Amino acid sequence: MSDAFTALAALVALGAPIVAGPVGVVDAKPVLALHGTEAAGASRSIAIAYRGGEIAGRLGVDRATMRYADLPDPFVEALVAVEDASFERHMGLDPAGLGRAVIGALGGRSDAGGGSTLTQQLAKNALVGDSATLERKVAEAIVAVMTESVATKDEIIESYANAVYFGRRSDGAANAARNWFGRDWDALTLPEHAFLAGVLRAPSGLDPLRSADRAKARRDHVLSRMAEVGFIDAAARDAAQATAIAVAPPPPPPRAGPAPADPDYWALSEARRFLGTGTYLDQPADRPFVTTIEADAQAMAQRALDAVLEPANRRLPDAPLGRVPERVLERAAANPDALWLAADRVVARLPDGFLRVIAGPNGPIVEPRDPVDTTGATAADAPAPAVPELPRGAQLGDVFVLLPDGEVQGRPRVQGALVAIDLATNEVIASVGGSRSWASGFDRTRAQRQPGSAFKPFVWLAALDGGVRPQDWVLNGPITVAVGNEVWSPGNYDGGGGSYTPVFTALERSYNQVAARLAMHVGMEEVRRVAVSASLYPPDERGLLFPSASIGAVETSPYRMALGMAALDPRSSDITSRENLEDLERMMRGVVLRGTAAGAFSNGPDGVIGKTGTSQEHRDNWFVGRTGDLAFAVWIGRDDDRPLPSINGRRATGGSFAAPVAASFLREARAAGITTATIDAPLFAAEAMPYWLAPEPEPQPEPEPRGGGGWWAGRFDGQRGDPYAGAAPADAWRPGWAQ
């Protein structure tokens, strides 16, 4: 080993602690995967099944790879000559080149010249990434040396050829020869091999159809390097350089398979959380990955959500799916393939029979039909689509789709999510992340949104833990809390307040001022404890300490809200006493029977508890709850976080939008036997209120603090600007304390 290489090895060893920081510790296992010839640069798809075995679809891409033995010698020689002439002699690193790169990175230069060997480039593509930092270069060097210790040179070349992008949709070498020259690898000539080795530097910029001079200069440079290294003689070089580059026409834009149905798409999305985004090579090829999702429950959830989203979306024009560049539109007549390739990048998968349509300068441009559709009919058999009417506000280049019935659709403005969890297993059995998944594949079950009043059950549980009882009377009136230099003073949705109400009634009618008063009484730290214990938020969520969190101002997701509802089940939860959880259950039963969700559940099903929620300016609508065997959460809102539209003169609320989705889903699930257990908790009845807490009490002087600094909760209206500095005594909340 040379002295230079020894010094560089020491530099790599000293740099190893750096790798343990931003990049991560490199171990042998992923390095071994780099050279596994069975998996070199490969990926494949895997079938995804519902809990009952029905196939939902496939994840991943089946990608062809090449063995080293099938790579022609002229291509391998061209690749080595132009990228790494010392490949056969080094141990993964070029000391001089790496030294230049390290010095450049230390000096803040990203253009100092990498001097990367083929092994380092493979490490960069497969594990490390390409950020121009010292940490990345050190990690790349470590992985390269380790790879050389466990892989042969042939295996490294094979992995490299299968991992790089050749352009023209050629991920890896398998299809590169045919996509560029219309022939297989063994039919290419020396100058064509040199071109493919050189085009790796910039596949798009070196396309001869775009820049013939640049492409020829790069190919000729590769041929010159082959002669310098000794792979070819001068005569072969000159003859090859005199040859024109004659590439085949670009392959036509690929036709993706039809989009999966919405329920299947969201089931695949849920499965991807468990499988990650890898190549799935470690999954058994002969059997599908089985999810916890139940096919029937998933379909019911989608139907219930769509039934509310579709009329809501008719109130607003669809958004475009995307936009093709104006320069592509200008050349559409001469190059229609480029136009539809650009549209394909906007929306790749569509349901059968759908066509893309683009807002052109002279009106809508409708995509040609497939030569043969899935029924075997030819395009000539199908009637030409009528000129469609685009959604109002469409701009030049906007992409929409044309349905078989002539309707034009884009991305719906109003979206939603529904998650249902089996309480017996704590597994998700339905997870629907929106509508029209072909238009927007974003899964909203994990989107972060304000829960609004759907958060209040956790505040009420904290109050129960703090000694408040459901039939205690509380002031439903103005409250002002100072937070630093700011003042927070929530109002009730109906604008009312100013009288006393039982605690259970305040939850049923979702009074914000009571939620704030309860939270101030027990303290926001206690509210946070309950919410975190229920898996609604991570332990480090500091936003829960602000008073506005008491009315749901801190974002969480539909999935976490469903988990939170499961955590409030008195039959299995250990986050507090069973008595308090059962009291909360009775109060949430009142929400459904005589509170804010009563209208949605007027036709059943019975045995449901829940809570509505509406965030500021009607941006988010929620209904969360449980049956005896399911916990669930429904969210409806807009991806752009704008207010929801009104329907039939009614503002969008959790009771009018989200609760009907839950009721519809549960009715169908009940009929199918998916949920059978009910919650028949008895409702609370108001107790007689003492005369001194009459609905319109006479003004009273503020009492002196007692028992640890707590102020009489029934009288506290926040005007002090200083909520309780310490915990109030257990009886401080009760009416008798004022006597």
Side-chain angles (χ1 to χ4, degrees):
M1 184 182 295
S2 68
D3 291 341
F5 194 90
T6 302
L8 188 59
L11 173 63
V12 170
L14 290 173
I18 300 176
V19 181
V23 177
V25 177
V26 179
D27 59 35
K29 185 175 180 180
V31 174
L32 288 171
L34 289 178
H35 77 90
T37 54
E38 289 289 336
S43 66
R44 64 174 174 82
S45 64
I46 181 173
I48 305 298
Y50 288 105
R51 176 185 281 182
E54 306 94 324
I55 298 299
R58 303 187 72 87
L59 288 178
V61 176
D62 293 305
R63 174 180 166 190
T65 58
M66 289 187 70
R67 296 283 190 162
Y68 177 81
D70 297 323
L71 291 170
D73 288 343
F75 170 74
V76 174
E77 291 169 350
L79 180 66
V80 169
V82 74
E83 295 290 347
D84 187 0
S86 61
F87 176 70
E88 292 294 339
R89 301 188 300 274
H90 64 61
M91 295 176 62
L93 303 177
D94 172 11
L98 182 60
R100 290 194 303 271
V102 169
I103 292 171
L106 288 172
R109 294 176 56 199
S110 60
D111 59 348
S116 294
T117 65
L118 284 172
T119 316
Q120 287 176 262
Q121 293 179 48
L122 175 60
K124 176 179 69 175
N125 290 336
L127 282 183
V128 178
D130 58 0
S131 60
T133 64
L134 177 60
E135 291 89 345
R136 197 272 296 169
K137 293 300 292 185
V138 172
E140 177 188 291
I142 294 172
V143 175
V145 172
M146 295 180 71
T147 301
E148 291 273 354
S149 71
V150 295
T152 67
K153 294 290 186 178
D154 291 356
E155 289 170 337
I156 292 171
I157 289 287
E158 178 184 279
S159 290
Y160 181 89
N162 283 311
V164 292
Y165 181 61
F166 283 80
R168 291 196 172 186
R169 296 185 294 281
S170 301
D171 289 305
N175 299 315
R178 184 156 292 279
N179 286 349
W180 277 106
F181 295 105
R183 306 192 302 281
D184 292 331
W185 275 97
D186 56 6
L188 300 188
T189 63
L190 171 62
E192 289 169 343
H193 286 302
F195 170 83
L196 288 175
V199 79
L200 294 172
R201 169 168 288 187
S204 179
L206 294 173
D207 188 333
L209 299 181
R210 293 189 175 191
S211 179
D213 292 342
R214 289 185 62 195
K216 186 177 187 304
R218 177 63 177 168
R219 184 207 62 179
D220 291 352
H221 170 70
V222 175
L223 291 166
S224 295
R225 288 292 299 149
M226 293 180 73
E228 292 172 14
V229 173
F231 288 136
I232 59 175
D233 58 26
R237 177 200 62 200
D238 294 344
Q241 289 180 341
T243 304
I245 302 177
V247 296
R255 281 282 184 180
D262 282 349
D264 294 339
Y265 180 90
W266 304 121
L268 295 175
S269 177
E270 182 69 14
R272 189 179 289 110
R273 303 185 205 286
F274 295 93
L275 291 170
T277 57
T279 59
Y280 311 137
L281 293 173
D282 56 346
Q283 296 295 321
D286 58 345
R287 64 178 186 268
F289 176 83
V290 180
T291 72
T292 64
I293 304 293
E294 292 187 2
D296 289 344
Q298 184 79 345
M300 293 171 189
Q302 187 74 61
R303 284 194 293 269
L305 195 62
D306 288 347
V308 169
L309 294 183
E310 287 175 5
N313 278 307
R314 285 196 289 269
R315 308 287 297 179
L316 300 167
D318 284 355
L321 301 171
R323 185 172 296 167
V324 300
E326 188 173 347
R327 65 179 183 278
V328 176
L329 273 175
E330 293 171 351
R331 303 170 187 166
N335 192 0
D337 280 348
L339 177 67
W340 297 114
L341 179 59
D344 179 77
R345 294 193 182 103
V346 171
V347 53
R349 290 181 177 270
L350 292 175
D352 281 333
F354 284 37
L355 299 174
R356 299 170 183 83
V357 56
I358 302 172
N362 299 314
I365 307 172
V366 180
E367 178 181 24
R369 295 187 185 276
D370 279 332
V372 180
D373 66 20
T374 55
T375 66
T378 65
D381 299 327
V387 177
E389 181 179 351
L390 300 182
R392 67 178 185 271
Q395 299 181 22
L396 187 67
D398 283 350
V399 180
F400 299 90
V401 298
L402 178 64
L403 277 61
D405 63 2
E407 181 185 359
V408 173
Q409 288 187 350
R411 182 175 292 110
R413 305 276 185 175
V414 182
Q415 282 286 6
L418 191 158
V419 179
I421 294 176
D422 184 341
L423 292 176
T425 62
N426 213 35
E427 293 176 339
V428 176
I429 65 165
S431 180
V432 173
S435 180
R436 297 188 215 167
S437 59
W438 53 265
S440 174
F442 175 57
D443 189 342
R444 296 157 190 85
T445 62
R446 266 64 171 184
Q448 297 293 302
R449 301 297 293 240
Q450 289 187 358
S453 294
F455 180 75
K456 288 175 183 173
F458 303 94
V459 177
W460 262 248
L461 184 57
L464 294 177
D465 287 347
V468 177
R469 306 316 311 157
Q471 291 168 297
D472 288 345
W473 290 74
V474 58
L475 176 61
N476 177 32
I479 175 172
T480 302
V481 181
V483 184
N485 295 326
E486 302 293 327
V487 173
W488 179 68
S489 182
N492 291 327
Y493 175 74
D494 61 5
S499 62
Y500 289 86
T501 186
V503 169
F504 70 84
T505 300
L507 184 64
E508 292 174 5
R509 299 181 183 177
S510 200
Y511 292 140
N512 289 337
Q513 292 172 338
V514 173
R517 186 163 277 106
L518 288 173
M520 293 302 98
H521 173 65
V522 298
M524 291 307 300
E525 186 62 61
E526 181 65 9
V527 173
R528 182 171 78 160
R529 179 195 65 79
V530 171
V532 169
S533 298
S535 301
L536 198 60
Y537 295 95
D540 59 350
E541 178 53 72
R542 300 290 298 174
L544 293 172
L545 296 178
F546 288 89
S548 58
S550 64
I551 58 172
V554 181
E555 295 179 340
T556 188
S557 69
Y559 170 70
R560 281 189 174 270
M561 290 297 289
L563 285 180
M565 290 297 105
L568 299 183
D569 184 0
R571 288 156 288 278
S572 60
S573 178
D574 60 358
I575 64 174
T576 186
S577 70
R578 177 160 184 157
E579 177 188 2
N580 286 346
L581 288 168
E582 288 177 342
D583 282 346
L584 180 63
E585 197 171 72
R586 294 174 65 183
M587 289 190 280
M588 293 176 69
R589 181 87 170 111
V591 172
V592 173
L593 292 183
R594 61 190 183 193
T596 54
F601 283 86
S602 59
N603 295 323
D606 295 328
V608 180
I609 69 169
K611 182 68 187 77
T612 58
T614 306
S615 69
Q616 287 185 345
E617 298 183 6
H618 302 265
R619 290 188 174 96
D620 305 279
N621 287 178
W622 294 82
F623 186 75
V624 299
R626 286 197 328 275
T627 64
D629 45 18
L630 288 184
F632 57 85
V634 176
W635 169 83
I636 294 177
R638 293 180 55 165
D639 291 339
D640 59 11
D641 202 29
R642 293 184 179 180
L644 288 163
S646 301
I647 293 185
N648 298 326
R650 298 178 61 190
R651 295 299 304 269
T653 64
S656 62
F657 267 29
V661 174
S664 177
F665 167 68
L666 293 173
R667 280 194 296 269
E668 194 172 356
R670 184 71 58 79
I674 293 173
T675 174
T676 58
T678 60
I679 299 175
D680 297 318
L683 299 182
F684 284 105
E687 294 180 344
M689 186 170 61
Y691 70 91
W692 57 85
L693 290 182
E696 297 181 2
E698 294 295 326
Q700 302 177 44
E702 189 171 69
E704 294 296 323
R706 292 177 51 184
W711 297 93
W712 174 40
R715 178 68 186 87
F716 174 66
D717 61 7
Q719 298 302 321
R720 294 178 57 83
D722 180 18
Y724 305 96
D731 63 347
W733 189 256
R734 300 188 180 280
W737 193 86
Q739 289 181 292

